[in-house]
């Protein structure tokens, strides 16, 4: 997601990072580049203009220009302003104190309403709520059927209206059904059109008036770029929506839609659709969205996952060895490998690390069986050998192989990989040093390890 926007911003902001002391004209020139990137990524021009004027005002402040590393500060300002633009904190659902909580899903035809309604039901069900789906799109016979199929798949009851019937009456009956069946969360799937039209808005307004839903969530297709902004404006004017769900963010959607919708309507992006199955719905965290746009990596996600698996102290020691002055030994290799195993697939983790997204890691995943073999080999080494693998000569290799019950070729392979990894780590140290640490990265950075 946001790949295109990310990598472009990365290039522009990279220039900032390299510069020492900044002059006013350098800042302006740099921000012109940022402007071009945002517009190219389909960010609304008005949103872009307002955004840049805020950034420029802060960036031209005395403090920044005189700072030790003004470039970095500007990157940080851009990041902060992006996060602010995306909203604050994680957007929540407004739950009703007298159930059922009613959520109305609205949007144009094909935006992903029906799919998203089912995804929401799935999520709420997993969270221990008792969802019910209501099919209020009665214009196309297939629409009701589609929701019923999805409902059956996730084992959530579906209240369906009759084809050609009155959607308002159906919605009202659905509320009754939910109450009668003790379902505390009702998700209404509504009809869509190819374009915003008065008849549709009128129908939706009537449902809104009748049911007074807690949430009116606009489902918008992220692939449509600027168009999504216009649509969001239209729906917001007619219905005063409470939030937006951006679908198809798994495709090559341009990140601009998310920024623009938020900037133009002021309504939060609450969820993002990441695929066609009922599980492909993520909560939208503004900090994370902003971070991704800037290619700072999804540091929060990375840290969260790493912390689940890794003991804090171990982690700091390891990080010091990887990125600091410490020597990285085979013993550390073993520790880190065990930790990474607990974290999940390596290639996925690496995507979360700033700048590592594009990096190809051979193999990517660690095969548990190979892990066991590697472990056996390292455990057959003496402490000296683990500390200084360069002492491992031919006869030591043979002894280690025998002890581990693995062929000598495997010992050789491991030693070769370890050497490659040390090289990789050196390069990484160089990179990290060159960047001098990125905003928000600091101690939060927890690296994965490259091996296959
Ligand atoms: N890749 C992807 N496809 C999606 C997503 N959400 C919906 N779709 C697909 O978009 C198409 C239209 O979805 P549907 O729910 O029927 O849209 P509706 O007309 O608004 O109800 C279907 O083929 C869905 O599988 C998403 O987040 N990612
Ligand atoms: Mg539909």
């Amino acid at each position: 997601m946001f790949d295109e926007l990310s990598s472009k911003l990365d290039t522009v902001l990279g220039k900032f990072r390299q510069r020492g002391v900044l002059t006013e004209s350098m800042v302006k020139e740099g921000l012109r580049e940022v402007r071009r990137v945002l517009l190219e990524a389909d960010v609304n021009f008005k949103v872009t203009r307002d955004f840049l004027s805020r950034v420029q005002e802060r960036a031209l402040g005395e403090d920044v220009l005189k700072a030790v590393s003004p470039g970095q500060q500007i990157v940080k300002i851009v990041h902060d302003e992006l996060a602010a633009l995306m909203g604050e904190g994680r957007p929540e659902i407004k739950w009703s104190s007298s159930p059922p909580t009613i959520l109305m899903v609205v949007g144009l035809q094909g935006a992903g309403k029906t799919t998203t309604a089912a995804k929401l039901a799935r999520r709420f069900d997993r969270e221990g709520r008792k969802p019910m789906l209501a099919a209020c799109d009665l214009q196309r016979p297939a629409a009701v059927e589609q929701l019923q199929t999805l409902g059956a798949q996730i084992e959530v009851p579906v209240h369906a209206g009759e084809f050609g019937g009155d959607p308002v009456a159906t919605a009202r009956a659905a509320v009754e059904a939910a109450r009668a069946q003790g379902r505390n969360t009702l998700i209404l799937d509504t009809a869509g059109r190819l374009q915003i039209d008065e008849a549709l808005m009128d129908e939706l307004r009537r449902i809104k008036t009748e049911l007074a839903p807690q949430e009116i969530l606009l489902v918008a297709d992220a692939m449509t770029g600027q168009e999504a902004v216009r649509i969001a404006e239209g729906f917001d004017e007619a219905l005063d929506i409470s939030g937006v769900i951006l679908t198809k963010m798994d495709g090559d959607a341009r990140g601009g839609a998310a920024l623009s919708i938020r900037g133009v309507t002021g309504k939060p992006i609450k969820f993002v659709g990441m695929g066609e199955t009922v599980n492909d719905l993520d909560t939208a965290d503004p900090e994370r969205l902003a971070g991704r746009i800037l290619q700072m990596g999804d540091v929060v996600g990375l840290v969260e996952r790493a912390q689940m698996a890794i003991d804090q102290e171990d982690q700091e020691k390891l990080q010091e060895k990887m990125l600091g002055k410490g020597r990285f030994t085979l013993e550390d290799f073993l520790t880190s490998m065990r930790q990474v195993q607990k974290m999940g697939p390596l290639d996925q983790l690496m995507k979360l690390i700033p700048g590592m997204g594009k990096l190809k890691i051979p193999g990517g995943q660690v095969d548990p069986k190979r892990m066991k073999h590697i472990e056996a080999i390292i455990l057959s080494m003496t402490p000296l050998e683990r500390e200084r693998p360069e002492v491992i000569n031919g006869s030591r290799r043979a002894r280690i192989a025998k002890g581990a019950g693995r062929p000598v070729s495997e010992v050789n392979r491991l030693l070769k990989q370890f050497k490659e990894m040390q090289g990789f780590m050196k390069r990484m140290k160089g990179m990290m040093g060159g960047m001098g640490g990125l905003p928000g990265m600091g101690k939060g950075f927890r690296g994965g390890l490259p091996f296959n």
Side-chain angles (χ1 to χ4, degrees):
M1 138 168 74
F2 289 130
D3 276 353
E4 208 179 314
L5 180 53
S6 296
S7 59
K8 281 186 188 155
L9 274 177
D10 212 17
T11 315
V12 174
L13 296 174
K15 286 187 209 149
F16 268 136
R17 276 186 207 127
Q18 285 157 19
R19 288 175 184 176
V21 177
L22 292 180
T23 63
E24 185 166 329
S25 66
M26 276 159 96
V27 171
K28 284 190 171 155
E29 184 210 310
L31 292 182
R32 253 199 303 281
E33 286 290 295
V34 176
R35 175 171 183 274
R36 197 178 48 75
V37 170
L38 291 172
L39 290 177
E40 255 175 46
D42 245 356
V43 177
N44 175 282
F45 84 93
K46 200 168 152 297
V47 173
T48 303
R49 194 186 56 200
D50 293 350
F51 175 75
L52 285 177
S53 80
R54 280 196 304 276
V55 172
Q56 178 160 328
E57 196 177 312
R58 281 182 61 186
L60 289 179
E62 281 291 299
D63 294 350
V64 173
L65 292 180
K66 281 192 199 138
V68 188
S69 53
Q72 263 178 50
Q73 291 217 20
I74 288 176
V75 176
K76 184 172 178 341
I77 292 171
V78 173
H79 174 268
D80 289 353
E81 290 293 335
L82 268 180
L85 182 60
M86 293 303 298
E88 272 156 36
R90 290 187 200 215
E92 304 270 338
I93 295 287
K94 202 168 120 203
W95 301 110
S96 167
S97 51
S98 61
T101 296
I102 300 167
L103 297 93
M104 220 174 133
V105 172
V106 302
L108 293 187
Q109 193 172 312
K113 289 180 301 300
T114 306
T115 316
T116 304
K119 287 179 181 178
L120 287 170
R122 167 66 145 206
R123 169 175 281 262
F124 298 149
D125 184 51
R126 287 271 163 93
E127 288 171 1
R129 304 190 61 85
K130 291 193 179 341
M132 179 185 247
L133 286 159
C136 301
D137 178 359
L138 306 175
Q139 288 166 354
R140 296 177 305 152
V144 175
E145 213 172 286
Q146 186 192 358
L147 194 67
Q148 278 169 329
T149 307
L150 287 166
Q153 188 194 333
I154 58 176
E155 295 177 8
V156 167
V158 178
H159 179 91
E162 255 173 56
F163 169 56
D166 176 16
V168 183
T170 303
R172 205 185 305 131
V175 179
E176 288 312 314
R179 276 207 192 101
Q181 295 173 38
R183 312 302 295 186
N184 61 17
T185 311
L186 181 64
I187 303 154
L188 303 179
D189 180 28
T190 63
R193 302 281 157 83
L194 291 173
Q195 301 285 332
I196 293 185
D197 70 34
E198 242 339 279
L200 172 66
M201 289 304 164
D202 190 52
E203 176 179 315
L204 297 174
R205 258 194 301 255
R206 281 191 294 135
I207 299 179
K208 178 186 173 179
T209 311
E210 185 78 22
L211 269 62
Q214 276 67 39
E215 297 273 352
I216 300 178
L217 299 170
L218 171 71
V219 172
D221 183 339
M223 308 280 288
T224 57
Q226 288 283 331
E227 186 62 12
V229 182
R230 233 181 31 75
I231 294 161
E233 263 186 311
F235 273 90
D236 193 36
E237 255 166 47
L239 296 165
D240 187 19
I241 60 174
S242 62
V244 178
I245 301 177
L246 268 185
T247 58
K248 308 181 196 180
M249 289 288 268
D250 49 314
D252 50 2
R254 303 206 237 173
L259 280 178
S260 308
I261 289 180
R262 172 72 209 191
V264 169
T265 64
K267 298 298 164 72
I269 313 282
K270 294 209 174 186
F271 296 96
V272 287
M274 296 294 292
E276 297 198 35
T277 84
V278 287
N279 293 318
D280 299 323
L281 187 73
D282 289 356
T283 32
D285 180 339
E287 267 286 327
R288 276 175 166 181
L289 285 176
R292 283 212 196 208
I293 292 171
L294 276 183
Q295 194 70 72
M296 304 272 178
D298 188 350
V299 179
V300 187
L302 180 68
V303 171
E304 269 173 12
R305 251 201 278 173
Q307 275 172 350
M308 279 194 282
I310 292 183
D311 169 59
Q312 184 75 19
E313 216 168 292
D314 274 5
Q315 214 175 22
E316 264 156 33
K317 259 191 251 158
L318 190 64
Q319 190 181 347
E320 170 63 20
K321 295 224 176 190
M322 280 172 65
L323 302 172
K325 294 190 187 63
R327 231 181 93 84
F328 191 82
T329 68
L330 271 162
E331 189 74 46
D332 303 318
F333 180 56
L334 187 60
T335 313
S336 63
M337 194 173 61
R338 285 174 174 156
Q339 291 181 338
V340 168
Q341 268 280 295
K342 283 193 265 175
M343 282 192 265
L346 193 61
D347 48 354
Q348 221 174 308
L349 269 176
M350 290 303 272
K351 278 203 197 117
L352 303 177
I353 302 174
M356 297 282 144
K358 283 173 242 133
L359 213 80
K360 265 261 155 283
I361 307 155
Q365 290 191 30
V366 192
D367 171 10
K369 217 164 78 211
R370 269 215 64 214
M371 266 254 335
K372 280 281 156 228
H373 296 163
I374 290 174
E375 202 170 342
I377 292 170
I378 296 179
L379 290 174
S380 299
M381 295 176 185
T382 65
L384 172 73
E385 287 164 348
R386 290 182 211 179
E387 190 70 28
R388 306 210 159 272
E390 59 274 16
V391 304
I392 305 178
N393 55 18
S395 64
R396 282 178 190 262
R397 279 170 207 241
R399 194 207 77 242
I400 292 165
K402 206 162 157 239
R406 303 302 309 165
V408 175
S409 61
E410 230 171 82
V411 178
N412 291 338
R413 188 148 67 116
L414 171 63
L415 290 172
K416 186 165 162 272
Q417 278 178 351
F418 178 71
K419 225 175 138 202
E420 276 168 13
M421 201 172 77
Q422 280 182 317
F424 176 90
M425 232 157 261
K426 239 202 198 130
R427 284 202 304 279
M428 200 147 93
K429 273 185 212 181
M431 243 174 76
M432 306 300 290
M435 292 193 285
L438 287 170
M441 226 171 79
K443 278 173 85 107
F445 177 76
R446 308 281 183 253
L449 297 176
F451 48 78
N452 57 27

